[in-house]
Amino acid sequence: MATDYYGLLGVGRDATSEQIKRAYRRLARDLHPDVNPDPAAQERFKRITAAYEVLSDPQKREIVDLGGDPLAPGGGVGAGQGSPFGAGFGGFGDIMDAFFGASTPRGPRSRVRQGADALIRLDLELAETAFGTTRDLTVDTAIICETCKGAGTAPGTHPATCDTCAGRGEVQSVQRSFLGQVMTSRPCPTCGGTGTVVPHPCVSCGGDGRVRARRTISVKIPAGVEDGMRIRLSGQGEVGPGGGPAGDLYVEVHELPHDIFTREGDDLHCHVSLPMTAAALGTTLTLNTLDGEEVLDVRPGTQPETVLTLRAQGVPHLRGVGRGDLHIHIAVTTPTRLDDEQERLLRELARLRGEDLPVSTRAHGGGGLFSKVRDAFNGR
Ligand SMILES: [Zn+2]
Ligand SMILES: [Zn+2]
């Protein structure tokens, strides 16, 4: 059944083109998606726009008046596929421009476009993330073509108007939908929406206005950066098509695991095992910190799971002043094998400390089963 285009606009079959235009303008002012976000209104807007498209064209209107439907399949215009609404309102832009001025972005787009951002991962040692460094990075990216200075045309030639779209940058097609036929437009496949073609492309860049090149840039890594952080180098990404402004280059910090230290925020942690005797007698530890060798006093009688802290020996804070701390976690190891002499000495020690009898038979003073063990640790 043919669509009632006159009914959609609320005009009679004898309406003049001026009356049709007025009727459409009146309806469109209420229904245009710029002013009425209601989905139902948008559907209706598509239908009245299709009606106006047909009735404002004398040839299409004649088909309607003869009982046909100029937007029906086989009407000489290829029926498109896909979503009936996916293409949006772009195809009605010229109509809308007539009524609303430049409410819909229109026309061919520029050949010159912003370049893409680029991302590089950079492996850094802990000392480098902590204190900062300067690294030379080799970047494989698009730079402006020197031959054509980004224009994409061979020397002495110019872009020509695209024949497919006549310079408009878009082509229109009619798509079927359950609303009837909907006119849609899409970027011209020949010129990519620019409205122009380059008949004599620059031989250096093939018309793109840019070429791939390898270059080396120097990147300053600030002190205190963390794994996963990105450093933005403005304008160091790819140059855009047609010599457009370059995108940004992001350098993502990847901190390599350290042999000794693990990092939590700006604090550093490490683990040191001490023999039972060293923990009991006290000792000194030599530790390779980020700042060099540090000699650490371990007091006599140091207990397992003691944490020694060196203030401000961690990672410098990225923002503000100061540094994190360095925490040394002490583990105490018990000998697993004793030769005869060692066992004799340990038994002698135990006897001297009154710790030589089985603990369970020596419970005294209400301390219970483990009082002996606890007393031994506490140095009694
Ligand atoms: Zn070129
Ligand atoms: Zn074109």
Side-chain angles (χ1 to χ4, degrees), residues 162-171 188-197:
C162 173
D163 285 337
T164 307
C165 63
R168 296 178 62 221
E170 56 186 22
V171 289
C188 171
T190 305
C191 61
T194 61
T196 56
V197 291

Side-chain angles (χ1 to χ4, degrees), residues 12 17 22 33 35 101 109 111 195 198 209 253 260 280 286 292 333 339 360:
S17 62
R22 267 207 305 276
V35 295
R109 60 196 176 101
R111 285 194 167 276
V198 176
V253 171
I260 299 170
T286 304
T333 56
D339 64 22
S360 59

Side-chain angles (χ1 to χ4, degrees), residues 291-311:
D291 303 271
E293 276 193 0
E294 186 81 25
V295 178
L296 208 66
D297 267 331
V298 178
R299 288 205 312 271
T302 291
Q303 301 300 306
E305 294 173 37
T306 296
V307 179
L308 304 176
T309 296
L310 293 173
R311 297 277 169 219

